[in-house]
Amino acid sequence: MQTPNFKLITIAEIKKNYPFLTEDEKFDYFEDWEDSDYFVVANGEVNFEGNFYLDLYEDKEKKGLAGLLNLPIKRIEEIRIEGVLIDGDLFTTGSIINAEGDYGPYVFVSGNVNCQSLLLGGANVQINGNVVAKEVVMTFYNHGSFNCSGLIEAPVFIVTDHNTTFSERKSKLFYYNDRADDTEPQNECEYDDETDEEIMSKELRKLLDNPLIETFEELERDLARGELVLQQNNPPVKTYEYWRERVLANYRDLKLVPMEFKTEELCTLALNSTFHALPFVHQDLVTAERCEKLVTKDGFALQVIPDERITKELSFKAAQSGTMLRFIPEEYYSEELIVLVFKNGKHEPDINDVPSLFITASLLIEYVKIGKGLWLDKACKQSGIDKGMVLKEVIDSGIQYLENIFGNHFSKETVEYAFSVYKNQEEWNNYVQKYKVKFERLGLNEYLF
């Protein structure tokens, strides 16, 4: 991986030595660079061993960059590196990888590029020469841009919601570009109603070494690892240990594991990491006991439990562990269950999730006692329940609920009623002092003495 001709150059020097770059609107696009910030620069041809990573802001890549520049990692962490400039050709035995879709450096290559695959997301990349990739050129997400002034030649060329421009292309096996109108009909994606995902064309999937890859996101993950992905290039045989490492790093990769390696042990490892792995577990392993274990650990797991496994008892376990009402089938709703969900939820109770049939005065009283009661007005109007009565019942439930009342439902009426109930209790003055500003704002100064 060592390439001796890389060095750090300040942006001030870049502007001086390469003034034409400042004419590119993507150069310092957000106008937040300092002249004292840096580019990684190579003058002349670069021959690189392995994958060439462009995600310079990530901790893992900073360590690699420190080695590349022969600098202490502390020095790399102290400075801002905004771009990569290669004044010449770039040849790498691996892939060129910008796996982050949201952001990336500014990249300029004056010559040609030759690599295994080219994956670009949030970086702004300008290549003046030709790009030749052994496998795939793929650009994704609309935060980045890629302009190739020459030819892009790769067996597979994919553009998904990305600002990609080029002079010409040669993609003999597959081409897809959702930003243009030149994609062949057989290469278009198909929408899957069940998974709510765009599924890649069969024409592309049959070219891949792993037939379980169905979406562009899944293909991106393989390319981000620097994998060989095309069947024609005979990628290395994958082992159980390989898949174990991938699943531990990203539970979604359980979906991509061939059946001979998708053991109960591997599925359990994924589920121990997160319940979100359940849809990728073989159905024979989705037992009632496993579902109960997941829901007991985290009630939000109910959202991935198959419908046929959800029972009234499991719904109550989810409510006890903390979940959202919308994940529970309405056939199991009751006031007891709804209150349990509100009490144990990780977020502010949302009365809007409750069907009108279940909104009663007693439920609204519990709603205000449990949280802020943010949508009490709306719920009372829609159900015809007297809001004043609800608030009085909450006040009657105990002086500790004045925190909820004065914090979120402060009014002359609630103060007057609370005073009539608790004026002789020592704690009353504590609440008056805490909410003194509100008392003064409404001119209720008589209660401050």
Side-chain angles (χ1 to χ4, degrees):
M1 289 183 62
Q2 300 304 313
T3 304
N5 56 341
F6 277 110
K7 55 187 176 181
L8 288 176
I9 300 294
T10 66
I11 290 178
E13 293 177 83
I14 293 293
K15 291 177 179 178
K16 178 181 177 182
N17 297 331
Y18 304 92
F20 61 89
L21 289 180
T22 61
E23 299 175 9
D24 184 350
E25 66 172 355
K26 299 298 183 181
F27 186 86
D28 194 10
Y29 185 70
F30 295 105
E31 299 182 349
D32 60 350
W33 295 356
E34 301 289 341
D35 280 352
S36 56
D37 295 336
Y38 291 92
F39 265 48
V40 177
V41 177
N43 291 301
E45 182 177 295
V46 172
N47 289 281
F48 198 83
E49 186 72 27
N51 296 320
F52 191 84
Y53 293 98
L54 297 177
D55 294 306
L56 307 181
Y57 309 121
E58 308 302 317
D59 289 340
K60 179 183 176 183
E61 313 318 336
K62 284 182 179 180
K63 292 179 181 179
L65 190 59
L68 183 67
L69 296 168
N70 196 26
L71 290 172
I73 182 63
K74 184 177 180 181
R75 173 60 177 156
I76 298 298
E77 291 174 342
E78 289 173 344
I79 62 177
R80 288 182 59 181
I81 300 175
E82 304 290 1
V84 177
L85 188 152
I86 298 174
D87 194 1
D89 298 329
L90 169 60
F91 300 95
T92 175
T93 60
S95 296
I96 299 171
I97 300 170
N98 165 217
E100 175 55 62
D102 283 324
Y103 51 83
Y106 180 85
V107 180
F108 175 81
V109 180
S110 69
N112 301 313
V113 170
N114 192 295
C115 57
Q116 175 178 291
S117 287
L118 175 63
L119 177 68
L120 298 177
N124 291 307
V125 180
Q126 169 66 43
I127 297 175
N128 280 358
N130 301 322
V131 173
V132 176
K134 177 181 179 182
E135 288 219 310
V136 179
V137 170
M138 184 173 188
T139 60
F140 69 99
Y141 201 43
N142 56 29
H143 282 196
S145 66
F146 173 40
N147 179 56
C148 176
S149 300
L151 164 73
I152 293 180
E153 182 176 358
V156 173
F157 184 13
I158 301 166
V159 180
T160 62
D161 191 27
H162 191 270
N163 306 304
T164 298
T165 56
F166 49 91
S167 293
E168 57 179 318
R169 66 172 174 87
K170 288 183 180 179
S171 41
K172 62 181 180 180
L173 295 183
F174 184 85
Y175 171 70
Y176 174 88
N177 187 344
D178 62 8
R179 288 291 191 92
D181 57 3
D182 55 350
T183 300
E184 296 291 336
Q186 67 270 22
N187 291 348
E188 294 285 357
C189 298
E190 295 181 6
Y191 180 73
D192 188 318
D193 292 321
E194 185 175 338
T195 63
D196 193 29
E197 290 184 314
E198 292 284 343
I199 304 301
M200 300 185 308
S201 163
K202 293 178 181 178
E203 297 302 311
L204 174 57
R205 289 161 58 193
K206 70 184 182 183
L207 300 173
L208 301 178
D209 180 59
N210 188 344
L212 299 177
I213 294 176
E214 295 183 312
T215 69
F216 286 132
E217 181 184 348
E218 291 163 0
L219 180 58
E220 286 165 24
R221 295 207 298 271
D222 266 28
L223 293 173
R225 292 175 56 89
E227 303 274 3
L228 285 168
V229 298
L230 298 184
Q231 194 177 84
Q232 68 178 20
N233 291 323
N234 297 315
V237 175
K238 310 296 193 299
T239 65
Y240 176 79
E241 287 304 315
Y242 166 88
W243 286 112
R244 186 177 187 276
E245 180 269 326
R246 281 198 62 166
V247 169
L248 286 175
N250 188 335
Y251 75 89
R252 292 180 178 86
D253 285 340
L254 185 63
K255 175 181 179 292
L256 308 181
V257 180
M259 284 305 300
E260 63 265 30
F261 296 124
K262 194 183 261 190
T263 63
E264 183 173 358
E265 178 194 31
L266 189 61
C267 292
T268 300
L269 280 173
L271 290 172
N272 287 343
S273 172
T274 173
F275 64 78
H276 290 292
L278 190 67
F280 309 130
V281 171
H282 193 279
Q283 288 304 302
D284 291 346
L285 299 177
V286 184
T287 62
E289 294 75 18
R290 192 180 293 274
C291 292
E292 182 178 344
K293 184 178 179 180
L294 290 173
V295 166
T296 301
K297 181 180 179 182
D298 188 336
F300 275 71
L302 199 67
Q303 64 187 293
V304 298
I305 301 295
D307 291 343
E308 64 271 18
R309 291 293 185 189
I310 299 179
T311 63
K312 182 178 180 180
E313 292 72 24
L314 194 66
S315 298
F316 267 90
K317 285 184 180 294
Q320 289 166 348
S321 302
T323 191
M324 298 182 75
L325 193 62
R326 67 191 66 169
F327 298 145
I328 299 175
E330 192 170 328
E331 61 189 284
Y332 302 132
Y333 283 11
S334 65
E335 185 167 315
E336 179 188 5
L337 177 66
I338 294 168
V339 170
L340 196 60
V341 169
F342 283 178
K343 283 183 176 179
N344 297 321
K346 299 176 183 178
H347 309 287
E348 181 66 24
D350 191 349
I351 199 71
N352 297 310
D353 286 345
V354 181
S356 58
L357 175 67
F358 295 94
I359 295 182
T360 62
S362 59
L363 178 64
L364 292 178
I365 291 166
E366 291 302 314
Y367 171 59
V368 176
K369 288 165 64 176
I370 291 167
K372 296 179 180 179
L374 297 177
W375 296 279
L376 179 64
D377 279 346
K378 177 182 177 183
C380 286
K381 289 176 182 177
Q382 290 180 344
S383 61
I385 296 171
D386 180 36
K387 176 184 174 183
M389 179 273 295
V390 171
L391 295 177
K392 285 180 179 180
E393 289 287 343
V394 174
I395 292 170
D396 287 337
S397 299
I399 194 169
Q400 68 271 26
Y401 294 112
L402 293 188
E403 184 69 42
N404 305 53
I405 296 295
F406 288 177
N408 306 288
H409 307 280
F410 194 93
S411 68
K412 183 175 182 291
E413 291 74 22
T414 55
V415 169
E416 287 177 346
Y417 188 75
F419 179 73
S420 70
V421 177
Y422 297 115
K423 61 184 176 182
N424 295 322
Q425 291 198 23
E426 189 176 321
E427 293 174 69
W428 166 256
N429 286 326
N430 295 335
Y431 289 105
V432 171
Q433 291 305 312
K434 181 174 182 178
Y435 293 98
K436 180 180 178 181
V437 173
K438 289 189 176 184
F439 278 84
E440 292 173 339
R441 189 180 300 143
L442 292 187
L444 303 175
N445 296 318
E446 65 267 28
Y447 296 100
L448 300 178
F449 305 101

